[in-house]
Structure formats: C-alpha cells, structure tokens
Amino acid sequence: MPAFKTLDDLTDIAGKRVLVRVDLNVPVTDGKVSDTTRIERVAPTILELSEKGAKVILLAHFGRPKGEPVADQSLSLIAPAVEEVLDQRVAFASDCIGAPAADAIAKMENGDILLLENTRFHKGEEKNTPEFTAELAKNGDIYVNDAFSAAHRAHASTEGLAHHLPAYAGRTMQAELEALEKGLGQPTRPVVAIVGGAKVSTKIDLLSNLVTKVDALVIGGGMANTFIAAQGIDVGKSLCEHDLAETARSIMETAKTAGCAIVLPVDGVVAREFKANAPNETVEINAIPADAMMLDVGPKSVELISGWIGKAATLVWNGPLGAFEIAPFDKATVSAALHAAEQTRAGKLVSVAGGGDTVSALNHAEVADDFSYVSTAGGAFLEWMEGKELPGVAVLTKG
C-alpha cells in the first residue's frame, strides 16, 4: 500500500480552517442517537486538531436525503451527541456551503468545533460536481478524511476536496488502513480468512480475491451450503444458491491453483423451522434430512475451524458461521470468536474483522475489544477485501 499523509505530517495548524470528513451516519431512535460508536471513533482526530488550535469544521452525511433537505435527516439531531462524546461545545451551521457556513466559520476562535449541515442535502455531493466541491473547499485551508466507511464513494466530501486542499488521513482512517495492511496487504503468514453470511452472490468478488491471498479460507453461514451443494451433496431445505454451483466450483479450483485450502463444514446443526430454540439435531454434512435446513455448523466443524485459527498468524473475518441472531444457532460463531480472541490476547494472532453482521456477532460473543482491529466501515471494508481501489484512500497517498 502506498504511503499516505497523516496528522503527523501536519504542523503549525493553529488558526487554520480544517475541514474534517467524519462518519456521523449513526442510528437514531425517537430523535436521539442510540449508538455513539462512530462518533467515539472520530473523537481522537477532532480533539487533537482542536487542541492544536485549528478551527475544526466537520463534514458528514446522515441518511439518504437524495440531494434535498429532509428535516429528520438533519445533522442538528446528531450535534448534541457529538458534544456529549467530545465533552466540548459544538456549534452548528444550517448549511455546508454558502452564507450559513461562511458566517459560522467567521465566528470561530482557534480550537473551536463546528458541524456543518448534511452534505447530501446537495445533489453535488454524491455527483462530486466541480461546482459543489469548490464551494466546500472555500470553507477550509486543509482537508482531513477520517471517514474510511465512506472512502469507497467518490463523493465531493470524500474524494473531490482532496484535489482542492492539502489532504491528510485522520487517526481513525490511519488506524483502519494500517490494520488492513496487516490483515491483507503485508500480513504475517499463515493467513486464514473466515467468510460467512447468507449468500455467495453478494461476496463473489471477495471470495475470488481472498483465495489468491490467504493460506486457508473458511466458509460458513448460508453460503457454505452453496459450496457443499456444488459438490453434489444434498443440503435439504437449507438456504442455497443452486444456480451458483459453477461459480463455487470455479472459486474452489482457483483456490487449489493458488495453494489456498478451502475449509467447509463437515457437520451441521439442522432444524425444521427458522426460529429461536427450534428443535434441532447435529448431523454429518452428507446426512442433512430433506425436510431440514442447516442453521449452524456443528461441533466437529468448530474444532476444525479452531485448528486453523490456532495455526494462523493473521486472521481476517467477515460474516458469521451460522444464524447467530437466534439461539442455539450462535454456538459456532461464538466458539470460534472466543478462540480467536484468546489467541489474540496471547499475542499469537493479528485478528482483523469487519462488516455489520460480523461486528454484531463479535459483540454478541463479547470479544470485539479483544480483536486486534474491528472495522465499522461496512461496504468500504468489503471493497478493500475484494481488492478494489477506494477513491477516498487513493487521493490521500503521497506522491
């Protein structure tokens, strides 16, 4: 990965207007922020710049307003939570460009923090129009991107601004890029990847890229059924994309050529209905009843997966091994997560995980804090794992 500029490259910024792209697309319930994780992630960058005397101007989107102002997607709803996390006053401007933004910025003292209104209230944001980007750029002297989660989008506030102002990675962006470099860029081998989730169709690019980069690929969740069925094994009523059998076989062939071991379940926990505590049984993978569905991998599979985790120096994880949201089909995911966390705590494993369901699963297992790095970036994390260039990252590279 090319070197990128960080806050360490920024000197003498007292009095400078620093436009900081952050991710404030947080869940809101009854008008209040219900999860401040993303705000907490960007707090170090904001506070560091403030403490150095910069005028910190926050840019962010919230929801999908499609280029028009929408009252319930105003960042004014998020501002109180930002203040609470930062424990510092945060002013608010009713627009991200024009007079409202300019007037609010003109009133700022060194170290002040200002949140501008939702950038997606303007069509030029997602279209990355030169006109809108230029209007945003008028508000700053320096640009800092601390929103890796939006770095896969070439929007005005995530990519366009870097062509107008000196551009740097914030601390969260820096941590994310360094963690992913350890996970897939220049990892310590052996590297094991765990990929789960419901469908192969949503992760074809991911699987195709990983088998050329890792030493073993563990496939779980509903997508494992597609790979099992592709080998001529009846998976009963399990979630399965039978039309992707050839794709699955192709991925396995690519893995074989690349010297990557494909690790599939050897047993499974099956039930006749998809609900919590449904009557279930554990069967060998080639003995799934015709009227049942596999909802979790079985104990032999967990032992197999734990063995691979034990051999690994680096683990990259995206997606649960089973239907972890409902008991008792969370056992495999929790067991594997506990083992990975134990290896990480012992200093034997670099563990990098990401994706919405993955974060939820690790929180459910109460081990998220024990992993080397857990990304909250969602789509950007997936695209990075797929080997795609992220526009918001590419523009931060040196040279």
Side-chain angles (χ1 to χ4, degrees):
M1 180 178 65
F4 50 92
K5 293 175 287 186
T6 72
L7 300 193
D8 295 325
D9 298 301
L10 263 179
T11 56
D12 191 25
I13 58 171
K16 296 286 180 65
R17 302 169 302 160
V18 183
L19 293 174
V20 186
R21 181 52 160 96
V22 291
D23 183 357
L24 300 182
N25 197 27
V26 295
V28 172
T29 306
D30 298 327
K32 292 188 176 181
V33 174
S34 54
D35 184 346
T36 58
T37 302
R38 287 184 167 178
I39 302 173
E40 291 162 10
R41 284 277 175 105
V42 296
T45 291
I46 298 169
L47 292 173
E48 180 178 340
L49 291 169
S50 172
E51 286 163 8
K52 288 180 178 177
K55 297 176 181 179
V56 187
I57 304 157
L58 306 180
L59 297 171
H61 76 275
F62 177 45
R64 297 179 181 274
K66 297 182 179 177
E68 300 290 343
V70 180
D72 65 0
Q73 293 178 45
S74 169
L75 282 170
S76 61
L77 299 170
I78 313 300
V82 178
E83 276 197 334
E84 189 173 335
V85 169
L86 297 178
D87 193 25
Q88 194 164 327
R89 180 177 179 272
V90 176
F92 180 75
S94 60
D95 202 346
C96 60
I97 59 172
D103 292 347
I105 292 167
K107 295 173 185 174
M108 295 180 77
E109 301 288 340
N110 291 4
D112 282 357
I113 301 168
L114 170 68
L115 173 60
L116 302 184
E117 183 57 284
N118 195 335
T119 56
R120 289 189 182 176
F121 280 3
H122 296 270
K123 287 184 170 63
E125 162 68 345
E126 293 188 71
K127 291 181 179 178
N128 199 0
T129 63
E131 298 79 11
F132 179 69
T133 308
E135 285 299 307
L136 281 180
K138 287 180 184 177
N139 295 325
D141 304 303
I142 295 165
Y143 169 65
V144 171
N145 191 344
D146 211 27
F148 178 81
S149 53
H152 58 314
R153 305 292 186 222
H155 293 172
S157 67
T158 62
E159 194 270 347
L161 276 173
H163 298 288
H164 289 256
L165 301 171
Y168 302 83
R171 294 304 183 197
T172 301
M173 174 78 83
Q174 178 184 355
E176 188 100 30
L177 294 176
E178 289 173 350
L180 295 180
E181 183 70 358
K182 287 180 181 177
L184 283 180
Q186 298 291 330
T188 303
R189 294 191 177 274
V191 184
V192 172
I194 296 177
V195 179
K199 295 182 177 182
V200 173
S201 55
T202 61
K203 296 186 179 180
I204 291 172
D205 290 346
L206 172 61
L207 296 169
S208 299
N209 184 51
L210 285 179
V211 294
T212 66
K213 291 192 170 182
V214 304
D215 299 291
L217 173 61
V218 176
I219 301 176
M223 67 170 59
N225 301 324
T226 301
F227 280 83
I228 293 165
Q231 298 177 82
I233 298 171
D234 188 354
V235 294
K237 291 188 175 179
S238 305
L239 176 65
C240 181
E241 294 173 288
H242 293 283
D243 59 322
L244 288 179
E246 188 54 46
T247 299
R249 286 191 288 268
S250 175
I251 289 170
M252 287 190 282
E253 192 59 39
T254 301
K256 185 178 179 181
T257 303
C260 170
I262 296 285
V263 184
L264 292 170
V266 294
D267 61 346
V269 181
V270 302
R272 269 75 182 174
E273 50 186 340
F274 185 81
K275 72 174 187 179
N277 300 309
N280 61 84
E281 59 186 305
T282 300
V283 299
E284 297 297 312
I285 211 66
N286 59 359
I288 298 173
D291 64 343
M293 65 187 102
M294 185 163 73
L295 295 178
D296 199 8
V297 303
K300 290 181 182 177
S301 302
V302 172
E303 189 175 337
L304 180 65
I305 294 165
S306 293
W308 278 103
I309 293 172
K311 295 176 191 175
T314 303
L315 175 69
V316 180
W317 191 333
N318 174 258
L321 297 172
F324 79 96
E325 306 93 338
I326 55 175
F329 310 111
D330 58 344
K331 286 184 179 178
T333 301
V334 169
S335 181
L338 288 171
H339 185 56
E342 180 185 339
Q343 292 292 101
T344 305
R345 287 195 302 270
K348 299 176 181 178
L349 184 69
V350 171
S351 50
V352 179
D357 284 347
T358 315
V359 176
S360 297
L362 297 183
N363 284 332
H364 174 67
E366 299 182 347
V367 296
D369 291 341
D370 293 319
F371 271 56
S372 303
Y373 193 82
V374 177
S375 171
T376 60
F381 179 82
L382 267 180
E383 290 200 17
W384 181 279
M385 288 182 71
E386 290 168 0
K388 296 176 181 175
E389 182 176 86
L390 308 185
V393 172
V395 289
L396 300 178
T397 56
K398 293 179 178 178

